[in-house]
Amino acid sequence: MSELSLPLWRQHAQALWQLSKPRVVALIVFCAVIGMFLASPGLPDPAVLAAATLGIALVAAAAAMINCLVERGVDARMRRTAWRATVTGEIGGLETLLAALALGGMGLLLLFAGCNALTAWLTLATFVGYAIVYTLLLKPNTPQNIVIGGASGAMPPVLGWAAVSGEISAFALVLFLIIYAWTPPHFWALALYRRDDYARANLPMLPVTHGQRYTTLSIVLYTLLLSAITLLPVALGESGRIYMAAVLLLDARLLFLAVSLHRQYADALARRTFRWSIWYLTWLFAALLIDHYCLIPLT
């Protein structure tokens, strides 16, 4: 490879990397890995941990690429996505599809070979749910797209749990419910300060179809639901004082932001709420992990 072609190769690789939505994949993998540790009385088998982590990451990256491919036209009309390589033509449609199939195929093979069939099939179902059901059917057709489609985004800890244990427990389903209830307020906060983008793209996001006030009220109600669900690990006896203290503080902060957003809306506050919601989920799952290995019971 010549020195002249190397920068082009790097630019091309960087474009493909961005299409995989690495920040989103990182959060997905983080939640999946926490699920693996929570499913283990001790430490997970290193080989299973490595295979599951890489496999889930590859399939998640493939789903993101398919999403970018399918939404090329929509992305072109939105300021926050108009730079994507699938829009600018830097990466062609066939290349994006082949890269996604290659990554997804490798990820599923890793999960089949290094974990178990249950994890592989659940991961495939999650891929279909996000890349096809959500992207093609829900997102362009209903303002409840993120509520219904949020089931796919809530699967990572269940996938991690299944990879280690070979089954799905009640606690794994609670982890699913936490992310499922977290998704609407998280995404609607983004949609609020990006509502003009979504309107320009003709996407029926809740702030576009029902307005700002209805959306902020929905955020408050879902945040209350989320706060109740986050107490289930304690109610089930799966978590103790460390998690309890952390989740009460996290819920209080998120609820404060949600109520403030409803009382006196501002784009800057919506942006702050969106960013905090990412840290909220990260710290909540970190608290679950810390509590798992140094459980302090409530009784």
Side-chain angles (χ1 to χ4, degrees), residues 13-92:
Q14 180 66 21
L16 282 172
W17 170 256
Q18 291 300 329
L19 289 180
S20 72
K21 302 183 181 180
R23 291 182 180 179
V24 176
V25 171
L27 186 58
I28 289 171
V29 170
F30 174 76
C31 293
V33 169
I34 298 297
M36 296 177 213
F37 279 93
L38 293 178
S40 308
L43 295 175
D45 183 316
V48 173
L49 178 65
T53 301
L54 183 55
I56 292 169
L58 289 173
V59 176
M65 287 182 171
I66 294 295
N67 174 265
C68 291
L69 175 61
V70 170
E71 293 193 330
R72 283 178 295 179
V74 170
D75 288 345
R77 299 193 294 272
M78 299 180 67
R79 289 192 183 95
R80 76 181 184 94
T81 55
W83 57 268
R84 285 177 178 165
T86 43
V87 175
T88 63
E90 184 180 351
I91 305 292

Side-chain angles (χ1 to χ4, degrees), residues 4 18 20 51 119 164 220 284:
L4 290 177
Q18 291 300 329
S20 72
T119 307
V164 169
V220 172
L284 185 147

Side-chain angles (χ1 to χ4, degrees), residues 46 54 171 180 185 202-203 251 290 292:
L54 183 55
F171 189 31
Y180 185 75
N202 199 31
L203 288 174
D251 284 338
I290 294 170
H292 177 67

Side-chain angles (χ1 to χ4, degrees), residues 59-64 66 100-101 104 122-133 152:
V59 176
I66 294 295
L101 292 176
L122 287 174
T123 305
L124 177 59
T126 302
F127 171 90
V128 172
Y130 173 74
I132 298 176
V133 177
S152 295

Side-chain angles (χ1 to χ4, degrees), residues 261-272:
L261 197 63
H262 183 59
R263 293 181 63 185
Q264 192 168 5
Y265 178 81
D267 281 354
L269 183 55
R271 187 177 290 106
R272 193 184 316 150

Side-chain angles (χ1 to χ4, degrees), residues 4-291:
L4 290 177
S5 64
L6 186 57
L8 292 176
W9 178 87
R10 285 178 177 171
Q11 184 178 354
H12 203 70
Q14 180 66 21
L16 282 172
W17 170 256
Q18 291 300 329
L19 289 180
S20 72
K21 302 183 181 180
R23 291 182 180 179
V24 176
V25 171
L27 186 58
I28 289 171
V29 170
F30 174 76
C31 293
V33 169
I34 298 297
M36 296 177 213
F37 279 93
L38 293 178
S40 308
L43 295 175
D45 183 316
V48 173
L49 178 65
T53 301
L54 183 55
I56 292 169
L58 289 173
V59 176
M65 287 182 171
I66 294 295
N67 174 265
C68 291
L69 175 61
V70 170
E71 293 193 330
R72 283 178 295 179
V74 170
D75 288 345
R77 299 193 294 272
M78 299 180 67
R79 289 192 183 95
R80 76 181 184 94
T81 55
W83 57 268
R84 285 177 178 165
T86 43
V87 175
T88 63
E90 184 180 351
I91 305 292
L94 180 60
E95 183 178 359
T96 304
L97 178 61
L98 291 176
L101 292 176
L103 290 178
M106 287 189 293
L108 290 173
L109 284 175
L110 264 174
L111 294 173
F112 267 113
C115 302
N116 51 66
L118 175 62
T119 307
W121 285 116
L122 287 174
T123 305
L124 177 59
T126 302
F127 171 90
V128 172
Y130 173 74
I132 298 176
V133 177
Y134 169 71
T135 302
L136 282 174
L137 302 177
L138 296 174
K139 190 173 181 179
N141 293 308
T142 172
Q144 293 299 312
N145 46 30
I146 200 63
V147 176
I148 305 169
S152 295
M155 284 298 292
V158 179
L159 302 180
W161 190 286
V164 169
S165 69
E167 61 182 14
I168 301 173
S169 72
F171 189 31
L173 294 178
V174 168
L175 301 178
F176 169 90
L177 286 175
I178 288 173
I179 301 182
Y180 185 75
W182 165 87
T183 301
H186 162 73
F187 199 88
W188 285 333
L190 168 68
L192 277 166
Y193 71 86
R194 295 288 190 180
R195 60 192 176 278
D196 291 341
D197 250 1
Y198 286 113
R200 189 163 38 248
N202 199 31
L203 288 174
M205 304 307 294
L206 199 63
V208 176
T209 60
H210 289 68
Q212 169 192 304
R213 190 73 176 167
Y214 184 92
T215 304
T216 56
L217 177 60
S218 298
I219 289 175
V220 172
L221 294 177
Y222 269 91
T223 302
L224 288 170
L225 175 63
L226 171 63
S227 298
I229 291 173
T230 56
L231 298 178
L232 287 178
V234 178
L236 291 174
E238 297 287 352
S239 299
R241 295 183 186 277
I242 293 175
Y243 171 76
M244 183 72 168
V247 80
L248 288 176
L249 291 173
L250 292 170
D251 284 338
R253 173 62 176 166
L254 188 61
L255 187 58
F256 172 79
L257 288 171
V259 171
S260 299
L261 197 63
H262 183 59
R263 293 181 63 185
Q264 192 168 5
Y265 178 81
D267 281 354
L269 183 55
R271 187 177 290 106
R272 193 184 316 150
T273 303
F274 171 74
R275 291 174 177 169
W276 165 254
S277 68
I278 298 173
W279 285 111
Y280 168 94
L281 190 67
T282 303
W283 288 337
L284 185 147
F285 271 77
L288 280 169
L289 179 63
I290 294 170
D291 197 285

